[in-house]
């Protein structure tokens, strides 16, 4: 069982990994769009410890923290992001296409395209009966794509061992979630796919761990797919260089005060004080 203090340590690793990546943009060691997940650390840290090397994880263009949660070597990953020959893919994949065959981790820059890959892994696990599961991490923008709905329907119809984590940071690039969704939440759509759905506070690492752990157990037990909608907020623009004019300065300033790392630190201190 991973303690809150250990999860806090993972959150720090994730934050500093992203900050290190930022250094490669002005030096032009990183080309193309760099997407960081600063402010969303609690979601990835909450998944730590619930997955085995046999479980598959399919991520997005904002993938670094998910890879760390899965156990991907950070040195090799950083080398890949900085386009070095010592990287995971020899420097050819870059930050949006990290791939670790041994840990069954992959990422794609195509919105919503990770879920069809994940159900392939989930179907293979079901055929083999090896107790493995597949995890797909997507953003709120991906849930309105055709591939997402088709995959969720197939996962529900076949009761595949799948866990879908939706990092709802409320913005699909510059489009607010409220303007692009016909429903107030994503989780409430889950029953239409015969999936278990829940919306949680993605800033609470313990809550994320609790619900992700339950979903993983549910999947391994043959109870079918689960969808976890984790509410969060990205502190930086959609990509490095994004003018980010679609969010007001007041909004960004107020939301950054809800830093999951600071929240977790305060919880640890409070727990120690009680003792």
């Amino acid at each position: 069982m991973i303690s809150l203090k250990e999860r806090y340590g993972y959150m720090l690793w994730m934050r500093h990994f992203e900050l290190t990546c930022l250094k490669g943009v002005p030096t032009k060691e990183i080309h193309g769009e760099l997407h960081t997940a600063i402010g969303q650390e609690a979601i990835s840290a909450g998944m730590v410890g619930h997955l085995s090397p046999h479980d598959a994880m399919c991520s997005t263009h904002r993938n670094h923290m998910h890879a760390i949660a899965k156990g991907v070597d950070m040195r090799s990953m950083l080398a890949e992001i900085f386009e070095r020959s010592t990287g995971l893919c020899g420097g050819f994949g870059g930050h949006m296409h990290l791939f670790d065959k041994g840990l069954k981790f992959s990422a794609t820059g195509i919105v919503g395209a990770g879920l069809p890959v994940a159900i392939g892994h989930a179907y293979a696990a079901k055929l083999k009966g090896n107790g493995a599961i597949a995890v797909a991490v997507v953003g709120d923008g991906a849930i309105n794509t055709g591939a997402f709905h088709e995959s969720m329907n197939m996962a529900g119809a076949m009761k595949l061992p799948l866990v879908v984590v939706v990092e709802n940071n409320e913005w699909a690039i510059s489009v607010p979630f409220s303007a692009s969704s016909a429903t107030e939440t994503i989780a409430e759509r889950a029953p239409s796919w015969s999936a278990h759905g829940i919306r949680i506070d993605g800033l609470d690492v313990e809550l994320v761990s609790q619900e992700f752990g339950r979903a993983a157990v549910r999947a391994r037990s043959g109870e079918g797919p689960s969808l976890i909608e984790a509410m969060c907020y990205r502190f930086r623009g959609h990509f490095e260089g994004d003018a980010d004019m679609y969010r007001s300065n007041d909004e960004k300033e107020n939301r950054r005060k809800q830093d999951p790392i600071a929240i977790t630190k305060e919880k640890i201190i409070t727990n120690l004080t009680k003792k």
Side-chain angles (χ1 to χ4, degrees):
M1 189 70 178
I2 296 178
S3 68
L4 179 60
K5 185 177 179 180
E6 289 173 309
R7 293 196 188 282
Y8 176 68
Y10 270 98
M11 293 171 73
L12 290 177
W13 274 114
M14 292 169 181
R15 174 68 61 87
H16 286 285
F17 187 93
E18 296 284 55
L19 293 175
T20 299
C21 290
L22 293 180
K23 297 178 181 179
V25 177
T27 62
K28 297 184 179 180
E29 293 173 273
I30 297 177
H31 294 85
E33 297 179 350
L34 174 69
H35 307 81
T36 64
I38 295 172
Q40 302 180 189
E41 291 84 358
I43 300 173
S44 294
M47 294 190 281
V48 173
H50 295 291
L51 299 172
S52 76
H54 302 293
D55 298 325
M57 179 182 282
C58 301
S59 182
T60 69
H61 52 279
R62 205 178 304 281
N63 55 55
H64 307 159
M65 296 182 188
H66 311 147
I68 294 173
K70 189 63 171 70
V72 176
D73 180 73
M74 285 190 279
R75 183 178 290 274
S76 298
M77 180 165 55
L78 194 63
E80 181 63 34
I81 295 168
F82 275 75
E83 304 170 25
R84 305 291 177 84
S85 61
T86 53
L88 290 169
C89 304
F92 292 103
H95 101 276
M96 281 196 287
H97 302 98
L98 301 178
F99 182 76
D100 189 317
K101 181 179 180 181
L103 289 172
K104 293 187 177 181
F105 178 87
S106 62
T108 175
I110 302 174
V111 175
L115 193 51
V117 178
I119 66 168
H121 283 294
Y123 184 51
K126 183 173 183 177
L127 290 177
K128 293 177 181 177
N130 59 6
I133 66 173
V135 177
V137 187
V138 300
D140 53 284
I143 56 97
N144 292 322
T145 64
F148 182 91
H149 292 281
E150 291 173 27
S151 298
M152 287 301 300
N153 181 67
M154 187 177 295
M158 302 180 73
K159 278 201 167 184
L160 297 181
L162 174 73
V163 178
V164 178
V165 178
V166 182
E167 295 181 317
N168 189 345
N169 59 27
E170 304 175 26
W171 290 90
I173 306 182
S174 59
V175 180
F177 175 72
S178 59
S180 63
S181 176
T183 58
E184 286 190 21
T185 73
I186 298 168
E188 67 188 87
R189 304 183 191 183
S192 65
W193 304 305
S194 293
H196 172 77
I198 187 170
R199 174 187 266 204
I200 63 173
D201 180 1
L203 304 182
D204 186 335
V205 68
E206 288 185 303
L207 181 59
V208 173
S209 174
Q210 174 183 299
E211 294 302 332
F212 184 80
R214 287 175 177 172
V217 170
R218 193 178 295 116
R220 296 188 204 280
S221 302
E223 297 179 41
S226 295
L227 184 150
I228 301 171
E229 179 185 7
M231 301 305 296
C232 56
Y233 195 79
R234 55 175 166 81
F235 288 179
R236 301 184 71 84
H238 175 65
F239 62 91
E240 291 309 305
D242 177 12
D244 199 2
M245 301 295 288
Y246 44 87
R247 303 187 295 183
S248 70
N249 289 331
D250 286 343
E251 174 189 327
K252 287 182 281 189
E253 183 178 344
N254 288 332
R255 296 300 293 274
R256 284 170 182 159
K257 292 176 183 177
Q258 295 297 307
D259 188 329
I261 290 181
I263 292 172
T264 305
K265 180 180 178 180
E266 184 61 33
K267 186 178 290 187
I268 292 172
I269 293 173
T270 300
N271 291 342
L272 289 173
T273 302
K274 289 180 180 179
K275 292 178 181 180

